[in-house]
Amino acid sequence: MTFVASQHYLTQTEAPAPRTLVEKAYRAMRADIIEGRLPPGYKLRVEHLKEDYDVGAGTLREALSLLVSDALVYAEGQRGFRVSPISLDDLEDLTNQRVLLETEALRQSIRHGDARWEAELRDSYDAMTRLRDSSGHIDTQQFEQCNKRFHEALIAGYHSPWTKYLLGLLNRHSERYRYMTLQLVAEHTVERNVDEEHEIIFRAAIARQDARAALALETHVRTTCDLIRQVARSQALPGFEDAKTQLLARE
């Protein structure tokens, strides 16, 4: 699968139009952080950003507070805001926690999912397979929407609101890393067959093979971390800091 980078692949276009200026500014800044236009560690100066996003200072501060709750931004006491750093340590921790929660949720979903669960899983998988055009290219924005739907469908048969809430939180925190791997694939820095990974997970889930599906899902989730680590060994990745540097930056 060849990815075509989209300017705003994670702008949540499947969601309704923003109802307030705060929500509009929040979505715009969130996309800019995830896609790297506002890089890790960047000082978010309200006086500059209010012009960039065409909103008032009060509106912008409210939007920044929402980004703090997403852990994409952190407050520096009385010194304003910065874009949260990224690191291999952080990515590995996120990956480990997601594997623990999502694989168990998938096992339970396979064991207890009904015909409605199975139908939605088939529909979500079929939607992904229809994305490629005749040249084999795929729009990244559309892929992300279908990918999100597929992963949610996999665990929809497990009725645990806390598990789904925590997984949603982990996924929001890891979006910058996922975007990075999509860019690396698009630039041919690394190779990855996402179609094959999804097919293996889907077929095992539909066959109610919970152990095999969980193993395939773990491999799929860990691949993002493995690919970024692989590239980080051979070249400097923009925005990455080690844990010590991050701690010093927050002091």
Side-chain angles (χ1 to χ4, degrees), residues 11-28:
T11 51
Q12 299 181 355
T13 55
E14 73 276 10
R19 294 168 294 180
T20 65
L21 289 176
V22 171
E23 186 178 357
K24 181 180 179 181
Y26 160 75
R27 289 194 194 181

Side-chain angles (χ1 to χ4, degrees), residues 36 99 183 227 248:
V99 165
Q183 291 297 95
L227 291 178
L248 290 173

Side-chain angles (χ1 to χ4, degrees), residues 66-118:
L66 293 175
L67 291 166
V68 169
S69 69
D70 280 350
L72 291 173
V73 167
Y74 68 94
E76 295 187 295
Q78 300 300 315
R79 295 179 293 173
F81 301 88
R82 283 188 185 273
V83 176
S84 294
I86 57 176
S87 70
L88 285 176
D89 286 345
D90 180 58
L91 174 58
E92 289 173 1
D93 192 20
L94 285 170
T95 300
N96 289 336
Q97 300 313 310
R98 183 180 168 193
V99 165
L100 285 173
L101 288 171
E102 194 165 350
T103 55
E104 178 58 23
L106 177 57
R107 290 188 191 96
Q108 296 299 327
S109 190
I110 290 172
R111 293 169 188 169
H112 303 292
D114 55 15
R116 183 177 179 181
W117 166 77
E118 186 171 317

Side-chain angles (χ1 to χ4, degrees), residues 3-238:
F3 288 94
V4 179
S6 173
Q7 184 180 8
H8 290 289
Y9 97 108
L10 277 173
T11 51
Q12 299 181 355
T13 55
E14 73 276 10
R19 294 168 294 180
T20 65
L21 289 176
V22 171
E23 186 178 357
K24 181 180 179 181
Y26 160 75
R27 289 194 194 181
M29 281 193 290
R30 186 175 185 275
D32 286 342
I33 290 170
I34 290 169
E35 297 175 31
R37 287 183 290 277
L38 294 175
Y42 183 78
K43 178 74 172 180
L44 298 167
R45 302 182 185 278
V46 172
E47 61 272 20
H48 297 156
L49 293 174
K50 67 180 184 180
E51 297 179 4
D52 294 340
Y53 295 99
D54 194 27
V55 293
T59 297
L60 190 63
R61 288 191 180 92
E62 288 188 57
L64 286 167
S65 295
L66 293 175
L67 291 166
V68 169
S69 69
D70 280 350
L72 291 173
V73 167
Y74 68 94
E76 295 187 295
Q78 300 300 315
R79 295 179 293 173
F81 301 88
R82 283 188 185 273
V83 176
S84 294
I86 57 176
S87 70
L88 285 176
D89 286 345
D90 180 58
L91 174 58
E92 289 173 1
D93 192 20
L94 285 170
T95 300
N96 289 336
Q97 300 313 310
R98 183 180 168 193
V99 165
L100 285 173
L101 288 171
E102 194 165 350
T103 55
E104 178 58 23
L106 177 57
R107 290 188 191 96
Q108 296 299 327
S109 190
I110 290 172
R111 293 169 188 169
H112 303 292
D114 55 15
R116 183 177 179 181
W117 166 77
E118 186 171 317
E120 170 57 20
L121 181 57
R122 289 184 184 277
D123 286 347
S124 65
Y125 178 74
D126 289 344
M128 281 198 303
T129 63
R130 293 194 297 266
L131 285 177
R132 280 181 296 179
D133 60 26
S134 58
S135 65
H137 287 72
I138 189 169
D139 181 81
T140 313
Q141 183 178 22
Q142 292 181 337
F143 171 79
E144 275 302 309
Q145 294 174 19
C146 288
N147 181 65
K148 180 175 182 290
R149 180 187 171 193
F150 175 68
H151 279 272
E152 289 177 347
L154 283 170
I155 65 170
Y158 181 41
H159 302 294
S160 171
W162 272 110
T163 297
K164 291 174 183 178
Y165 169 78
L166 291 171
L167 280 173
L169 192 64
L170 290 171
N171 280 315
R172 287 197 296 276
H173 292 182
S174 62
E175 283 176 327
R176 285 190 291 178
Y177 299 106
R178 186 166 67 248
Y179 177 78
M180 183 176 292
T181 60
L182 292 179
Q183 291 297 95
L184 292 173
V185 170
E187 295 164 3
H188 305 292
T189 306
V190 297
E191 294 183 1
R192 184 177 191 181
N193 191 334
V194 180
D195 284 345
E196 183 177 28
E197 292 172 28
H198 282 149
E199 181 179 3
I200 293 171
I201 298 168
F202 169 73
R203 293 195 181 283
I206 286 296
R208 305 281 178 161
Q209 298 171 329
D210 57 316
R212 181 174 295 182
L215 180 60
L217 178 60
E218 177 175 357
T219 301
H220 173 66
V221 171
R222 291 195 183 281
T223 296
T224 293
C225 185
D226 293 342
L227 291 178
I228 290 179
R229 189 190 299 112
Q230 170 189 324
V231 175
R233 288 197 187 105
S234 59
Q235 65 186 66
L237 289 175

